[in-house]
Amino acid sequence: MLVCIGLSFYNAEKYLDIAIGSILNQTYTNWKLFLLDDGSTDGSLEIALSYATDRRIRVISDGENKGLIYRLNQLVSMCDTKYFARMDADDIMHPDRLKKQITLLECRQEIDVVGSWAYSIDVNNIIHGILRTKENPNSILDVFSHKCFIHPSITGKTSWFRSNRYSQSYIRIEDQELWSRTIKRSVFFNMTEPLLFYREVGVPYLKKYLQSMAGERKLITVIYSKKLPLMRICMLFKNCLKSLLYILLTMFRLQNILIKSRSNKIGKREQIIANLILKNILLKKK
């Protein structure tokens, strides 16, 4: 097999079944899937175990809650294939995601990690827009402008992930820290089409958002500690302003306005096609 898909889950029973189903629905079938439980206390583990009869799927659980970063590094360590693909328990893969990403990686051996655009969806699987990233992210500013990667959309060389571990020091922005640390010596690429349905609208997010922004401030301070002081001040000010805005919008239950503003409008024809693809995936799970 060429690719190992790593999916860590914690109390994800509401969406896990759909996430796994979207993997089984891939047009590319030369994969194995590691379902790694992070000490769930709901029915997530039972859902994962219901798929264990598929010889391509392995379910791992040690009963402990160690956090996403620990589990991501664990998944990479377990991977014995040429490529490693990320997936989150509440997202949905486009049926052609793996086929298109693996084909690209096989054709362009210089690429270390490939991501894609994504459809922004809500808790009811309604599509609200498209999240776009830069095709060839190659600078720190691409990372801080959130144009580098949509984390659960990535597939890359297993050897690259083993050489570049996620840092335990950056909770909630482990991906952003990893990209900032490696972007100058790596080849990153994004497919300019949505190959993931990324769940973000309507999800309770204030605490996580503020943790992410605090982590970003720490990262900004570290990266710009000895150079470009004006840049550091401007970026920290922008970060604090966004955090305050999100708090205010949440107080008035308007936080979805900020979340939706990050995505681009989707054309009517593309909306119809995307809805048909998503509907087909969901129908197969009923």
Side-chain angles (χ1 to χ4, degrees):
M1 293 184 178
L2 268 181
V3 61
C4 170
I5 306 159
L7 192 162
S8 172
F9 60 90
Y10 173 73
N11 289 352
E13 64 179 3
K14 186 175 181 180
Y15 303 115
L16 182 59
D17 194 46
I18 298 173
I20 298 172
S22 73
I23 297 171
L24 292 170
N25 195 45
Q26 290 295 293
T27 53
Y28 180 89
T29 58
N30 191 20
W31 51 260
K32 64 171 64 176
L33 170 62
F34 288 150
L35 297 173
L36 180 54
D37 177 40
D38 190 34
S40 296
T41 57
D42 64 357
S44 298
L45 182 57
E46 287 72 23
I47 292 172
L49 288 170
S50 71
Y51 289 93
T53 53
D54 190 313
R55 62 179 180 81
R56 299 170 297 176
I57 299 176
R58 180 183 171 191
V59 181
I60 307 101
S61 179
D62 57 17
E64 298 183 45
N65 179 239
K66 295 186 176 181
L68 178 61
I69 299 174
Y70 181 93
R71 297 305 185 184
L72 288 175
N73 287 327
Q74 183 181 355
L75 285 166
V76 171
S77 297
M78 294 166 54
C79 182
D80 58 356
T81 55
K82 185 176 181 181
Y83 301 115
F84 174 75
R86 275 275 289 115
M87 181 61 176
D88 278 342
D90 58 348
D91 295 327
I92 302 170
M93 279 193 185
H94 185 288
D96 291 331
R97 173 191 162 179
L98 291 179
K99 180 180 72 174
K100 291 187 175 184
Q101 290 186 330
I102 296 300
T103 298
L104 179 69
L105 287 167
E106 286 289 276
C107 291
R108 295 184 55 182
Q109 294 288 319
E110 77 278 9
I111 294 176
D112 294 304
V113 182
V114 60
S116 75
W117 292 357
Y119 294 110
S120 174
I121 63 172
D122 65 17
V123 293
N124 297 311
N125 302 310
I126 304 300
I127 299 171
H128 290 272
I130 295 178
L131 295 166
R132 292 190 171 101
T133 46
K134 188 175 177 181
E135 185 173 13
N136 296 106
N138 55 17
S139 74
I140 295 292
L141 289 180
D142 290 334
V143 177
F144 282 111
S145 62
H146 303 284
K147 294 297 182 181
C148 188
F149 287 122
I150 299 167
H151 196 196
S153 79
I154 63 169
T155 302
K157 297 173 182 174
T158 301
S159 58
W160 186 91
F161 285 101
R162 286 180 176 167
S163 298
N164 301 284
R165 310 272 287 181
Y166 290 93
S167 171
Q168 290 280 0
S169 299
Y170 290 88
I171 307 297
R172 291 290 308 161
I173 63 158
E174 66 281 343
D175 55 327
Q176 193 175 0
E177 188 279 332
L178 178 60
W179 313 142
S180 67
R181 178 169 22 108
T182 58
I183 197 164
K184 291 296 185 181
R185 51 183 170 83
S186 304
V187 179
F188 293 161
F189 186 83
N190 277 300
M191 305 193 80
T192 54
E193 59 180 308
L195 296 178
L196 182 78
F197 295 88
Y198 184 63
R199 196 179 307 279
E200 60 173 359
V201 181
V203 178
Y205 195 57
L206 178 60
K207 182 179 178 180
K208 292 180 178 180
Y209 182 84
L210 294 180
Q211 286 178 329
S212 298
M213 298 304 278
E216 184 176 279
R217 290 194 295 274
K218 176 182 175 181
L219 186 58
I220 291 169
T221 302
V222 169
I223 290 177
Y224 295 102
S225 61
K226 296 180 180 179
K227 58 181 180 180
L228 301 176
L230 183 59
M231 175 70 77
R232 181 176 71 249
I233 293 170
C234 290
M235 292 176 72
L236 289 173
F237 177 77
K238 182 179 179 181
N239 176 291
C240 292
L241 192 61
K242 287 174 65 177
S243 298
L244 178 60
L245 178 60
Y246 196 90
I247 292 171
L248 291 173
L249 288 173
T250 301
M251 288 173 61
F252 294 98
R253 299 183 179 181
L254 298 172
Q255 65 272 23
N256 283 339
I257 293 175
L258 187 60
I259 295 173
K260 291 178 182 179
S261 69
R262 300 188 304 183
S263 62
N264 297 271
K265 290 184 178 180
I266 183 172
K268 186 175 181 180
R269 181 175 179 276
E270 188 170 7
Q271 178 93 46
I272 293 172
I273 295 172
N275 281 328
L276 286 173
I277 293 170
L278 186 54
K279 183 179 179 180
N280 184 54
I281 296 170
L282 297 174
L283 282 174
K284 288 185 177 181
K285 291 310 304 168
K286 292 183 178 180

